[in-house]
Amino acid sequence: MSLSLKLKKFLLDNGATEAGFADITNFTPKPGLNTGVVFYITYPKEIIRNMQNAPTKEYLEELISLNSRLDALGMKCEELLMDEGYDAYAQTKKRLGTDFGEFNSFELPHKTIATRAGLGWIGKSALFTTKYYGSALRMSSVLTDAPLELGNPILKSRCGKCMDCRDACPGGAISGIEWNYKLKRNDFYDDKKCEKYALQVSEENLGKADTVCGKCIYACPHTQKYIKKL
């Protein structure tokens, strides 16, 4: 079994819904670690089904749980690659901290690696989006120098004319402009407007201000198809 197959099987067997590998040579934050391993776990359908008045307490609890599970899986992935004789660095939430910088983003976002691995695209909501799960997922990544079988990059949006997430955003953060790999996030999405509304609605729904909302996740037609499946 090739290392790529072994690693993907390991990730899926340990809880990932999907995983892929990408060439990140031109934008790696760790010189020499030119391959990205990316994986995601989907939210349970029942939690997203109850998100008509997002955010909910259950959604926030699951978000925290998924972050913890993804961090643990990232460390396991790092360990496996190092045991195979390669260098690796898990981009865990714990390691990267909670300070995402001026634009609320990591230096190399997981979703950038995911598009380069061919797992999906960036929606108009600025969330990573897939055909089968919409944006009802959370992800993590590991940087490595291991020679893995790379996916075919997705370099432009597959949202088309759909404006459901834009129309569902009370904060007005979503412009409706389609993403492509040349755009920066704030070319089509206003993270400050998103943050402002999220703090307000989380205070109303959860009793404490937090940067969680989820209305755009629920509104995505691909998410809706996912949660309606039996």
Side-chain angles (χ1 to χ4, degrees):
M1 182 184 293
S2 70
L3 177 60
S4 296
L5 288 175
K6 179 179 179 180
L7 181 56
K8 184 169 183 176
K9 183 178 186 302
F10 175 83
L11 291 168
L12 298 184
D13 287 349
N14 280 275
T17 304
E18 185 58 280
F21 315 121
D23 179 1
I24 57 170
T25 303
N26 294 330
F27 39 85
T28 181
K30 298 286 185 182
L33 304 187
N34 296 328
T35 299
V37 179
V38 64
F39 45 92
Y40 63 77
I41 303 175
T42 52
Y43 282 96
K45 295 175 186 176
E46 60 272 17
I47 286 179
I48 304 300
R49 285 186 187 124
N50 293 326
M51 289 270 284
Q52 296 95 329
N53 187 35
T56 64
K57 179 181 177 182
E58 292 75 19
Y59 168 67
L60 177 59
E61 289 175 347
E62 185 65 18
L63 183 156
I64 294 169
S65 174
L66 286 178
N67 284 344
S68 178
R69 290 163 59 191
L70 286 163
D71 270 13
L73 185 53
M75 294 307 297
K76 289 180 180 178
C77 178
E78 177 184 284
E79 183 180 3
L80 184 152
L81 286 165
M82 294 182 77
D83 285 346
E84 292 285 339
Y86 300 102
D87 194 7
Y89 177 81
Q91 292 203 120
T92 63
K93 194 170 182 66
K94 184 175 181 181
R95 276 181 175 167
L96 297 175
T98 55
D99 181 6
F100 303 143
E102 181 183 357
F103 298 111
N104 295 313
S105 179
F106 293 137
E107 184 176 0
L108 176 54
H110 309 309
K111 60 187 175 184
T112 299
I113 303 174
T115 61
R116 296 298 174 125
L119 298 186
W121 66 95
I122 306 300
K124 293 175 183 177
S125 62
L127 294 176
F128 180 72
T129 306
T130 76
K131 179 179 178 181
Y132 297 107
Y133 306 107
S135 46
L137 57 90
R138 293 193 70 78
M139 62 176 61
S140 190
S141 60
V142 176
L143 315 180
T144 183
D145 58 0
L148 300 171
E149 297 170 20
L150 308 176
N152 295 316
I154 294 176
L155 301 178
K156 63 180 182 179
S157 170
R158 295 182 179 177
C159 292
K161 295 180 180 180
C162 178
M163 294 289 177
D164 289 0
C165 65
R166 184 198 66 178
D167 295 343
C169 178
I174 301 169
S175 70
I177 295 171
E178 280 200 281
W179 164 84
N180 69 68
Y181 79 100
K182 294 180 181 179
L183 294 180
K184 294 182 179 179
R185 187 177 68 170
N186 276 41
D187 290 338
F188 62 98
Y189 160 86
D190 191 324
D191 68 294
K192 300 305 181 187
K193 287 183 178 179
C194 176
E195 181 178 41
K196 181 179 179 180
Y197 178 76
L199 289 169
Q200 174 190 326
V201 73
S202 58
E203 177 75 52
E204 293 171 358
N205 288 14
L206 307 174
K208 64 175 183 177
D210 203 338
T211 52
V212 293
C213 176
K215 292 186 186 297
C216 56
I217 295 175
Y218 181 80
C220 177
H222 296 290
T223 300
Q224 286 295 314
K225 288 178 185 177
Y226 162 58
I227 65 175
K228 288 174 181 176
K229 291 177 183 176
L230 298 178

